[in-house]
Amino acid sequence: MSAPAISLRGLRKEFGSVTAVDGVDLDIAQGEFFSMLGPSGSGKTTVLRLIAGFEQPTAGTIELFGEDVTSTAPFDRDVNTVFQDYALFPHLSVLENVAYGLRVRGMGKRERAERAREALEGVRLGGYGDRRPSALSGGQRQRVALARATVLRPKVLLLDEPLGALDLKLREQMQVELKQLQRSLGITFIFVTHDQEEALTLSDRVAVFNDGRIEQLGTPAEIYERPQSRFVATFVGTSNVLEGAVAAQLLGVPGTFALRPERITLADAPTGRDRAASGTIAEVVYLGTGRRIIVDLDAGLQLTVLEHTLGRDAASDAALRGTRVVAEWSDRDLVALDAAVPVTP
């Protein structure tokens, strides 16, 4: 079997009394689109900087395709980094920006221009080589930054929240283009983000970071459908957390459980699903593609329910406040967060 693109063992980074990365072990496969997801201060960006060589670890090792690069200088590692601010040279044309790294490496003018044009074609900017960065939109500048990084043909591309400065529409468009670019190049992408939707949309696998450690590692479906901790259940998407006396009353067993809002249905009376709990609708929030309904259960828990709606208006939603309902769900949709405790009927 081929060596992982990136292998981290016992990786630790301290800044004075602050431990930013606390014993990370991780293998990232060749050709994988891998995301590191977490809130600010969780350690994900520090891990990226350690892989790039911009920081040196306090302890642990970093291997790139089986070679120990822990003490190797950044310019001697076969990786490249795309930053959130793009860092394009304003006085150079788009083509010159893309070709800059090849120029530094001593490649001839004709060859580097040809390679730069190929890279721009790869990000669908073939006719933009003569323009200045100031004449481009935010999404176009981002694609130039990607072309400049990929023209060097690194084995690993590191992306440090590259879509964070874009508006929602453009960010969604760039997510699709980024995934298509990674597939066409076939190289390893390591993507850092605090945006759960980006991580779930783009990634082959996701590592969820919290307090310098990996809280959970898995495919997007595994992370979302089967969170292994309360932090993952509440950070990645929205989860209702059932615990303590409420869990014992509603489920017949103590423990802490997660229940996704879209797994719950509301009815006027029980319809025969595994679990049913009565309550009163406290709030309805219109989302366009659906609505978020907050239900105050008689058991003492406030439950969030997500419904997909068609043809409803805000006025009818407002009329639901104060309505008595029954919330129902299936046992298979409950995820035990503190132990594998079976839920008894």
PDB file of all heavy atoms in Angstrom, residues 24-45:
ATOM      1  N   VAL A  24      -2.028  15.164  18.337  1.00  0.00           N
ATOM      2  CA  VAL A  24      -2.844  14.765  17.186  1.00  0.00           C
ATOM      3  C   VAL A  24      -2.169  13.642  16.420  1.00  0.00           C
ATOM      4  O   VAL A  24      -0.998  13.749  16.034  1.00  0.00           O
ATOM      5  CB  VAL A  24      -3.093  15.972  16.253  1.00  0.00           C
ATOM      6  CG1 VAL A  24      -3.689  15.514  14.926  1.00  0.00           C
ATOM      7  CG2 VAL A  24      -4.017  16.971  16.926  1.00  0.00           C
ATOM      8  N   ASP A  25      -2.889  12.560  16.196  1.00  0.00           N
ATOM      9  CA  ASP A  25      -2.477  11.456  15.331  1.00  0.00           C
ATOM     10  C   ASP A  25      -3.440  11.407  14.151  1.00  0.00           C
ATOM     11  O   ASP A  25      -4.653  11.311  14.341  1.00  0.00           O
ATOM     12  CB  ASP A  25      -2.518  10.114  16.077  1.00  0.00           C
ATOM     13  CG  ASP A  25      -1.501  10.045  17.205  1.00  0.00           C
ATOM     14  OD1 ASP A  25      -0.335  10.413  16.977  1.00  0.00           O
ATOM     15  OD2 ASP A  25      -1.881   9.639  18.322  1.00  0.00           O
ATOM     16  N   LEU A  26      -2.892  11.430  12.932  1.00  0.00           N
ATOM     17  CA  LEU A  26      -3.771  11.536  11.768  1.00  0.00           C
ATOM     18  C   LEU A  26      -3.051  11.071  10.512  1.00  0.00           C
ATOM     19  O   LEU A  26      -1.885  11.409  10.295  1.00  0.00           O
ATOM     20  CB  LEU A  26      -4.212  13.001  11.594  1.00  0.00           C
ATOM     21  CG  LEU A  26      -5.082  13.353  10.396  1.00  0.00           C
ATOM     22  CD1 LEU A  26      -6.426  12.640  10.479  1.00  0.00           C
ATOM     23  CD2 LEU A  26      -5.291  14.861  10.305  1.00  0.00           C
ATOM     24  N   ASP A  27      -3.747  10.293   9.681  1.00  0.00           N
ATOM     25  CA  ASP A  27      -3.270   9.924   8.349  1.00  0.00           C
ATOM     26  C   ASP A  27      -4.251  10.469   7.315  1.00  0.00           C
ATOM     27  O   ASP A  27      -5.465  10.278   7.445  1.00  0.00           O
ATOM     28  CB  ASP A  27      -3.172   8.403   8.188  1.00  0.00           C
ATOM     29  CG  ASP A  27      -1.988   7.812   8.943  1.00  0.00           C
ATOM     30  OD1 ASP A  27      -0.996   8.546   9.157  1.00  0.00           O
ATOM     31  OD2 ASP A  27      -2.058   6.627   9.317  1.00  0.00           O
ATOM     32  N   ILE A  28      -3.726  11.124   6.279  1.00  0.00           N
ATOM     33  CA  ILE A  28      -4.534  11.657   5.184  1.00  0.00           C
ATOM     34  C   ILE A  28      -4.072  10.981   3.904  1.00  0.00           C
ATOM     35  O   ILE A  28      -2.887  11.013   3.561  1.00  0.00           O
ATOM     36  CB  ILE A  28      -4.393  13.186   5.078  1.00  0.00           C
ATOM     37  CG1 ILE A  28      -4.838  13.843   6.394  1.00  0.00           C
ATOM     38  CG2 ILE A  28      -5.203  13.722   3.909  1.00  0.00           C
ATOM     39  CD1 ILE A  28      -4.579  15.336   6.459  1.00  0.00           C
ATOM     40  N   ALA A  29      -4.993  10.345   3.202  1.00  0.00           N
ATOM     41  CA  ALA A  29      -4.651   9.523   2.045  1.00  0.00           C
ATOM     42  C   ALA A  29      -4.282  10.374   0.833  1.00  0.00           C
ATOM     43  O   ALA A  29      -4.678  11.540   0.709  1.00  0.00           O
ATOM     44  CB  ALA A  29      -5.819   8.605   1.691  1.00  0.00           C
ATOM     45  N   GLN A  30      -3.532   9.778  -0.076  1.00  0.00           N
ATOM     46  CA  GLN A  30      -3.202  10.434  -1.333  1.00  0.00           C
ATOM     47  C   GLN A  30      -4.480  10.640  -2.157  1.00  0.00           C
ATOM     48  O   GLN A  30      -5.313   9.759  -2.262  1.00  0.00           O
ATOM     49  CB  GLN A  30      -2.208   9.588  -2.124  1.00  0.00           C
ATOM     50  CG  GLN A  30      -0.863   9.410  -1.436  1.00  0.00           C
ATOM     51  CD  GLN A  30       0.136   8.653  -2.288  1.00  0.00           C
ATOM     52  OE1 GLN A  30       0.104   8.721  -3.508  1.00  0.00           O
ATOM     53  NE2 GLN A  30       1.039   7.930  -1.633  1.00  0.00           N
ATOM     54  N   GLY A  31      -4.630  11.835  -2.707  1.00  0.00           N
ATOM     55  CA  GLY A  31      -5.783  12.148  -3.537  1.00  0.00           C
ATOM     56  C   GLY A  31      -7.060  12.410  -2.774  1.00  0.00           C
ATOM     57  O   GLY A  31      -8.135  12.525  -3.371  1.00  0.00           O
ATOM     58  N   GLU A  32      -6.974  12.570  -1.462  1.00  0.00           N
ATOM     59  CA  GLU A  32      -8.160  12.766  -0.636  1.00  0.00           C
ATOM     60  C   GLU A  32      -8.471  14.255  -0.480  1.00  0.00           C
ATOM     61  O   GLU A  32      -7.564  15.094  -0.402  1.00  0.00           O
ATOM     62  CB  GLU A  32      -7.930  12.143   0.738  1.00  0.00           C
ATOM     63  CG  GLU A  32      -9.127  12.184   1.670  1.00  0.00           C
ATOM     64  CD  GLU A  32      -8.888  11.402   2.965  1.00  0.00           C
ATOM     65  OE1 GLU A  32      -7.723  11.205   3.362  1.00  0.00           O
ATOM     66  OE2 GLU A  32      -9.890  10.994   3.589  1.00  0.00           O
ATOM     67  N   PHE A  33      -9.762  14.584  -0.459  1.00  0.00           N
ATOM     68  CA  PHE A  33     -10.192  15.929  -0.070  1.00  0.00           C
ATOM     69  C   PHE A  33     -10.545  15.842   1.413  1.00  0.00           C
ATOM     70  O   PHE A  33     -11.568  15.291   1.792  1.00  0.00           O
ATOM     71  CB  PHE A  33     -11.407  16.392  -0.879  1.00  0.00           C
ATOM     72  CG  PHE A  33     -11.612  17.883  -0.850  1.00  0.00           C
ATOM     73  CD1 PHE A  33     -11.639  18.621  -2.021  1.00  0.00           C
ATOM     74  CD2 PHE A  33     -11.759  18.567   0.361  1.00  0.00           C
ATOM     75  CE1 PHE A  33     -11.830  20.004  -2.001  1.00  0.00           C
ATOM     76  CE2 PHE A  33     -11.937  19.933   0.395  1.00  0.00           C
ATOM     77  CZ  PHE A  33     -11.975  20.655  -0.798  1.00  0.00           C
ATOM     78  N   PHE A  34      -9.665  16.393   2.240  1.00  0.00           N
ATOM     79  CA  PHE A  34      -9.763  16.241   3.683  1.00  0.00           C
ATOM     80  C   PHE A  34      -9.996  17.604   4.321  1.00  0.00           C
ATOM     81  O   PHE A  34      -9.288  18.565   4.019  1.00  0.00           O
ATOM     82  CB  PHE A  34      -8.468  15.634   4.232  1.00  0.00           C
ATOM     83  CG  PHE A  34      -8.541  15.249   5.686  1.00  0.00           C
ATOM     84  CD1 PHE A  34      -8.950  13.987   6.059  1.00  0.00           C
ATOM     85  CD2 PHE A  34      -8.202  16.159   6.677  1.00  0.00           C
ATOM     86  CE1 PHE A  34      -9.024  13.623   7.392  1.00  0.00           C
ATOM     87  CE2 PHE A  34      -8.276  15.815   8.008  1.00  0.00           C
ATOM     88  CZ  PHE A  34      -8.695  14.542   8.371  1.00  0.00           C
ATOM     89  N   SER A  35     -10.988  17.686   5.191  1.00  0.00           N
ATOM     90  CA  SER A  35     -11.297  18.956   5.864  1.00  0.00           C
ATOM     91  C   SER A  35     -11.018  18.863   7.353  1.00  0.00           C
ATOM     92  O   SER A  35     -11.298  17.847   7.990  1.00  0.00           O
ATOM     93  CB  SER A  35     -12.765  19.345   5.648  1.00  0.00           C
ATOM     94  OG  SER A  35     -12.985  19.767   4.330  1.00  0.00           O
ATOM     95  N   MET A  36     -10.468  19.954   7.877  1.00  0.00           N
ATOM     96  CA  MET A  36     -10.306  20.118   9.321  1.00  0.00           C
ATOM     97  C   MET A  36     -11.305  21.187   9.755  1.00  0.00           C
ATOM     98  O   MET A  36     -11.182  22.352   9.370  1.00  0.00           O
ATOM     99  CB  MET A  36      -8.867  20.498   9.668  1.00  0.00           C
ATOM    100  CG  MET A  36      -7.883  19.387   9.331  1.00  0.00           C
ATOM    101  SD  MET A  36      -6.214  19.630   9.965  1.00  0.00           S
ATOM    102  CE  MET A  36      -5.615  20.913   8.871  1.00  0.00           C
ATOM    103  N   LEU A  37     -12.281  20.773  10.530  1.00  0.00           N
ATOM    104  CA  LEU A  37     -13.420  21.613  10.903  1.00  0.00           C
ATOM    105  C   LEU A  37     -13.401  21.881  12.400  1.00  0.00           C
ATOM    106  O   LEU A  37     -13.156  20.969  13.199  1.00  0.00           O
ATOM    107  CB  LEU A  37     -14.718  20.891  10.518  1.00  0.00           C
ATOM    108  CG  LEU A  37     -16.043  21.489  10.994  1.00  0.00           C
ATOM    109  CD1 LEU A  37     -16.311  22.826  10.314  1.00  0.00           C
ATOM    110  CD2 LEU A  37     -17.187  20.511  10.725  1.00  0.00           C
ATOM    111  N   GLY A  38     -13.679  23.122  12.769  1.00  0.00           N
ATOM    112  CA  GLY A  38     -13.756  23.435  14.189  1.00  0.00           C
ATOM    113  C   GLY A  38     -13.927  24.925  14.412  1.00  0.00           C
ATOM    114  O   GLY A  38     -13.728  25.733  13.493  1.00  0.00           O
ATOM    115  N   PRO A  39     -14.275  25.322  15.625  1.00  0.00           N
ATOM    116  CA  PRO A  39     -14.419  26.754  15.932  1.00  0.00           C
ATOM    117  C   PRO A  39     -13.070  27.439  16.015  1.00  0.00           C
ATOM    118  O   PRO A  39     -12.013  26.788  15.994  1.00  0.00           O
ATOM    119  CB  PRO A  39     -15.129  26.734  17.291  1.00  0.00           C
ATOM    120  CG  PRO A  39     -14.680  25.447  17.918  1.00  0.00           C
ATOM    121  CD  PRO A  39     -14.558  24.460  16.791  1.00  0.00           C
ATOM    122  N   SER A  40     -13.078  28.753  16.129  1.00  0.00           N
ATOM    123  CA  SER A  40     -11.838  29.497  16.303  1.00  0.00           C
ATOM    124  C   SER A  40     -11.129  29.031  17.573  1.00  0.00           C
ATOM    125  O   SER A  40     -11.760  28.833  18.609  1.00  0.00           O
ATOM    126  CB  SER A  40     -12.137  31.003  16.400  1.00  0.00           C
ATOM    127  OG  SER A  40     -12.729  31.471  15.212  1.00  0.00           O
ATOM    128  N   GLY A  41      -9.828  28.842  17.475  1.00  0.00           N
ATOM    129  CA  GLY A  41      -9.045  28.414  18.624  1.00  0.00           C
ATOM    130  C   GLY A  41      -9.050  26.929  18.866  1.00  0.00           C
ATOM    131  O   GLY A  41      -8.525  26.475  19.893  1.00  0.00           O
ATOM    132  N   SER A  42      -9.592  26.142  17.930  1.00  0.00           N
ATOM    133  CA  SER A  42      -9.666  24.690  18.145  1.00  0.00           C
ATOM    134  C   SER A  42      -8.385  23.973  17.751  1.00  0.00           C
ATOM    135  O   SER A  42      -8.225  22.791  18.056  1.00  0.00           O
ATOM    136  CB  SER A  42     -10.840  24.104  17.364  1.00  0.00           C
ATOM    137  OG  SER A  42     -10.681  24.320  15.974  1.00  0.00           O
ATOM    138  N   GLY A  43      -7.478  24.646  17.031  1.00  0.00           N
ATOM    139  CA  GLY A  43      -6.203  24.041  16.665  1.00  0.00           C
ATOM    140  C   GLY A  43      -6.077  23.663  15.203  1.00  0.00           C
ATOM    141  O   GLY A  43      -4.988  23.286  14.752  1.00  0.00           O
ATOM    142  N   LYS A  44      -7.138  23.791  14.432  1.00  0.00           N
ATOM    143  CA  LYS A  44      -7.113  23.318  13.042  1.00  0.00           C
ATOM    144  C   LYS A  44      -6.130  24.103  12.172  1.00  0.00           C
ATOM    145  O   LYS A  44      -5.377  23.517  11.386  1.00  0.00           O
ATOM    146  CB  LYS A  44      -8.524  23.367  12.450  1.00  0.00           C
ATOM    147  CG  LYS A  44      -9.156  24.755  12.417  1.00  0.00           C
ATOM    148  CD  LYS A  44     -10.617  24.709  12.036  1.00  0.00           C
ATOM    149  CE  LYS A  44     -11.179  26.126  11.843  1.00  0.00           C
ATOM    150  NZ  LYS A  44     -11.059  26.946  13.080  1.00  0.00           N
ATOM    151  N   THR A  45      -6.120  25.437  12.301  1.00  0.00           N
ATOM    152  CA  THR A  45      -5.215  26.246  11.488  1.00  0.00           C
ATOM    153  C   THR A  45      -3.769  26.032  11.912  1.00  0.00           C
ATOM    154  O   THR A  45      -2.861  26.020  11.064  1.00  0.00           O
ATOM    155  CB  THR A  45      -5.585  27.738  11.593  1.00  0.00           C
ATOM    156  OG1 THR A  45      -6.910  27.922  11.083  1.00  0.00           O
ATOM    157  CG2 THR A  45      -4.625  28.597  10.797  1.00  0.00           C
TER     158      THR A  45
END
